[in-house]
Amino acid sequence: MSSALSQSAVNLTIPGESMPPNRLLRAYAIEAKYETLRMLRAPAFAGPFLLLPVILYLLFAVLLFGPGIAKDPRGALLTFMGFSVFGVMGPGLFGFGISVAMEREQGLLKLKRALPMPAAASLVAKLLMSMVFVAIVMATMAAAAPFGHLRLTAAQLLSLTVVNVLGALPFCAMGFLVGSISSGKAAPAFVNLFYLPMIYLSAILLPLPKSLQWIALLSPAFHLDQLGLAAIGEASVGAPATHVLVLAGVTLLFTALAQYRLSRVG
Amino acid sequence: MFRAASGKLGIVLQQQTLAELSRATKRFGAVTALDQLDLSVGAGELLALLGPNGAGKTTAISLLLGLQQADGGTARLFGRPPHSVDARRQVGVMMQEAALAPELRTREQIELIASYYPAPMDVDETLRATGTLPIARRPYSALSGGQKRQVQFALAVVGRPRLIFLDEPTVGLDLQAREMVWATVRKLVDSGCSIVLTTHYLEEAEALADRVAVLSKGRLIASGSLSEIRALVVRKRITCRTRLTPNEVARWPDVQTVNLDQRGLHITASNTENVVRLLLDADPDLQDLEVQRAGLAEAFSELTREDVQ
């Protein structure tokens, strides 16, 4: 130990204050790497969000309603799209919501604020982690699509993956806000308050009664679903630009609220 | 490290101040956590911040780290506002309550924190220097309480900071690990690093500190070298059951405080031998006589009482 420290003492005197750009970039990359690794190592988190969408898709589109869907190409497509959006929502809402709440509660966020962590590193790392998870979910969904009587071209799958990976952002922002407000223990319940009603009210899996259909317009999941349909050249409701605006607006609004809350309360 | 200033008597070397609170006040609702506190940390010194729970030690550090804003007065870190990232790139931190990511291994935790600094120590060098090499591959969740503190200590030093804040660094450590932390701290100070240490252990401050600042109720009640502070806290406490009243005993020489409760009479005195002799002379039926060195917290709370009076 003494040799290590006495050797380091020579260099320890006056380090530079500013961070070279390559080291700054490296700090972001390492933060993202370990955020993703952390989540992949947490089976309680990784399992449900990586596997649940494809398992439920196979259950509904193959086992339960396979014969019906085989004769209904539009139904097969909408089922696939719905479970894909379902897969996009989880990592952002739960990944952000629970991990930010836990980190606040356990003092990790405070420690990182005291340390010279680049300002947005934690946020960017969690966004990238959620996007990596969505990319994995999309890969599993693409692999399962043929069993659901769906034929999508590689270009269509690629477009849909790009849309859905970026589509994780508004759900990350919503999770971020929940995480900035709630305690670690309460976070799953809070997130479910968003998550479960949104699955139903956005009509991504089940059609809404006519009188309730307007509610879907309030849900980012509905807009992402429709944007995905437009991206693969299928019939969709509303203009793609409107969907992009809504999703971007939700992302900015919820992120700003969460940042405001964290800057005031920590 | 040092700034030269010219004057009539020639060149005077003035110690550089790395962190400073001036007239810093912080309130939490009705509670005043810091009350116009002046505190500075010089280059290359180890300052021990001592005081009972709720004295304001952690709040003082939080202001210096930019985690909280002062309601009055100022906090500066390397001459900048503490929330400046450039200032914090010269700072290492070990907090009392921080729980690190349970899924990450020790080596990964160190690599992550090292990435925040412009010129950190090598990860292997840090593992060796802090005694964490044997647990390098173990996830944080599988470590004992003492091992977790060792990892947190490694994170505080990995960035080669010029100033390190250590909040109760040896709580929960076994003797060997504590010696290793102390030895590493001494080497860091020898190499020019400054350290702010908060501790409940007087022996820890005695083993390491150049200067001691005693806080109580958010105010600085004593500050000075170790020997100066030691002189303030070298008192003993006498407890006994006696028919003598507190007023009688309070008039005796060397007696500093007298309190009576259901356990008997509690006396603090600078010369306990004299006071014991007087007690036995004055009350031959005296019972349950005990003489103890006053604990640090007791000594500090007495200092506070005197300070208020």
Side-chain angles (χ1 to χ4, degrees):
Chain A
M1 182 168 82
S2 62
S3 64
L5 269 178
S6 52
Q7 193 185 10
S8 72
V10 178
N11 307 325
L12 203 115
T13 45
I14 302 181
E17 295 175 359
S18 61
M19 193 87 156
N22 63 329
R23 281 206 60 84
L24 198 61
L25 204 62
R26 188 168 179 274
Y28 276 93
I30 290 185
E31 190 80 32
K33 171 185 158 187
Y34 285 127
E35 186 66 34
T36 308
L37 207 55
R38 277 184 67 187
M39 290 301 170
L40 286 171
R41 283 181 188 162
F45 175 79
F49 297 115
L50 287 179
L51 299 176
L52 203 60
V54 75
I55 289 172
L56 288 178
Y57 172 65
L58 289 173
L59 180 70
F60 280 88
V62 180
L63 285 179
L64 294 179
F65 305 109
I69 275 178
K71 293 178 224 145
D72 177 9
R74 179 76 182 170
L77 177 67
L78 292 181
T79 308
F80 178 82
M81 298 297 287
F83 279 106
S84 298
V85 172
F86 170 71
V88 174
M89 294 164 68
L93 278 170
F94 286 90
F96 251 88
I98 297 172
S99 72
V100 170
M102 294 294 285
E103 286 177 14
R104 275 178 56 237
E105 193 168 274
Q106 294 170 349
L108 185 58
L109 206 64
K110 195 163 142 190
L111 176 68
K112 288 189 167 184
R113 277 171 59 200
L115 291 170
M117 180 180 71
S122 182
L123 187 63
V124 170
K126 286 184 167 54
L127 286 176
L128 290 175
M129 174 274 294
S130 301
M131 289 159 92
V132 166
F133 267 65
V134 170
I136 297 172
V137 167
M138 287 308 297
T140 61
M141 289 295 292
F147 300 102
H149 308 284
L150 188 65
R151 296 280 178 270
L152 290 175
T153 66
Q156 281 177 313
L157 282 172
L158 192 65
S159 305
L160 186 61
T161 301
V162 170
V163 166
N164 280 353
V165 165
L166 291 173
L169 295 176
F171 302 105
C172 289
M174 294 167 87
F176 188 26
L177 181 62
V178 172
S180 72
I181 292 170
S182 121
S183 69
K185 277 187 189 131
F190 265 111
V191 171
N192 274 318
L193 278 181
F194 277 92
Y195 185 61
L196 297 175
M198 206 180 347
I199 290 170
Y200 176 65
L201 295 174
S202 57
I204 55 171
L205 295 177
L206 294 166
L208 282 174
K210 264 211 162 19
S211 60
L212 283 179
Q213 279 176 359
W214 60 273
I215 291 180
L217 295 171
L218 302 176
S219 162
F222 166 79
H223 293 279
L224 183 62
D225 196 34
Q226 297 305 317
L227 191 62
L229 284 168
I232 59 172
E234 293 288 336
S236 63
V237 176
T242 312
H243 303 313
V244 171
L245 272 177
V246 171
L247 294 171
V250 167
T251 305
L252 293 176
L253 176 69
F254 280 66
T255 305
L257 287 173
Q259 289 281 30
Y260 176 72
R261 161 85 186 168
L262 285 185
S263 68
R264 282 173 58 90
V265 182
Chain B
M1 287 284 192
F2 293 90
R3 180 155 54 94
S6 58
K8 276 186 185 171
L9 298 173
I11 293 172
V12 178
L13 284 174
Q14 195 179 4
Q15 208 179 20
Q16 190 187 359
T17 299
L18 303 189
E20 187 172 32
L21 289 178
S22 41
R23 300 181 71 77
T25 298
K26 180 73 188 171
R27 292 184 201 87
F28 297 105
V31 178
T32 303
L34 289 184
D35 188 3
Q36 306 214 347
L37 179 68
D38 288 314
L39 191 71
S40 68
V41 188
E45 77 166 341
L46 195 152
L47 170 70
L49 267 186
L50 306 177
N53 288 336
K57 305 183 297 278
T58 302
T59 308
I61 289 180
S62 295
L63 293 191
L64 286 173
L65 289 171
L67 294 172
Q68 285 169 349
Q69 299 281 318
D71 298 321
T74 54
R76 307 287 288 176
L77 192 59
F78 292 93
R80 302 160 194 260
H83 56 78
S84 145
V85 177
D86 279 347
R88 281 185 285 119
R89 283 201 183 107
Q90 302 179 71
V91 169
V93 184
M94 179 177 180
M95 283 179 170
Q96 211 177 328
E97 76 277 24
L100 302 176
E103 306 85 4
L104 293 186
R105 303 188 169 112
T106 302
R107 169 182 290 280
E108 295 167 343
Q109 308 267 15
I110 294 173
E111 190 194 352
L112 175 64
I113 303 301
S115 77
Y116 300 161
Y117 291 90
M121 285 165 77
D122 178 65
V123 174
D124 286 308
E125 186 186 348
T126 311
L127 287 165
R128 277 195 300 274
T130 56
T132 46
L133 194 57
I135 52 170
R137 295 185 56 79
R138 288 175 64 184
Y140 193 70
S141 58
L143 300 179
S144 71
Q147 288 169 329
K148 286 178 178 170
R149 294 302 281 162
Q150 281 182 277
V151 175
Q152 291 166 18
F153 180 67
L155 302 186
V157 304
V158 67
R160 296 183 203 277
R162 289 174 69 190
L163 172 61
I164 302 179
F165 291 89
L166 301 175
D167 197 0
E168 302 284 353
T170 57
V171 168
L173 293 193
D174 62 27
L175 204 59
Q176 195 186 1
R178 191 177 73 163
E179 290 292 339
M180 178 165 261
V181 167
W182 285 9
T184 311
V185 165
R186 283 195 197 98
K187 288 198 176 76
L188 287 163
V189 174
D190 288 346
S191 68
C193 185
S194 304
I195 291 183
V196 178
L197 168 79
T198 67
T199 182
H200 277 87
Y201 303 137
L202 182 58
E203 68 271 23
E204 187 155 276
E206 280 178 326
L208 299 170
D210 303 313
R211 194 157 67 85
V212 174
V214 183
L215 296 188
S216 181
K217 295 177 185 163
R219 292 190 302 139
L220 185 67
I221 56 165
S223 168
S225 68
L226 258 181
S227 53
E228 287 166 341
I229 294 294
R230 209 180 278 134
L232 292 173
V233 298
V234 176
R235 299 156 192 237
K236 290 182 183 168
R237 176 180 282 269
I238 304 165
T239 308
C240 59
R241 292 193 182 280
T242 172
R243 58 177 172 74
L244 299 169
T245 65
N247 282 341
E248 278 175 85
V249 174
R251 285 197 292 272
W252 293 353
D254 303 322
V255 170
Q256 282 155 340
T257 63
V258 186
N259 291 303
L260 181 67
D261 66 17
Q262 69 276 15
R263 286 173 51 223
L265 201 63
H266 302 278
I267 305 162
T268 54
S270 54
N271 186 337
T272 42
E273 289 79 7
N274 275 348
V275 176
V276 168
R277 208 170 288 128
L278 288 169
L279 276 170
L280 291 170
D281 288 345
D283 179 7
D285 299 328
L286 179 135
Q287 289 181 319
D288 299 337
L289 177 67
E290 274 180 47
V291 181
Q292 296 173 309
R293 178 178 285 272
L296 190 58
E298 286 171 309
F300 288 158
S301 64
E302 282 164 25
L303 277 173
T304 321
R305 267 206 299 275
E306 285 165 19
D307 183 63
V308 169
Q309 285 158 8

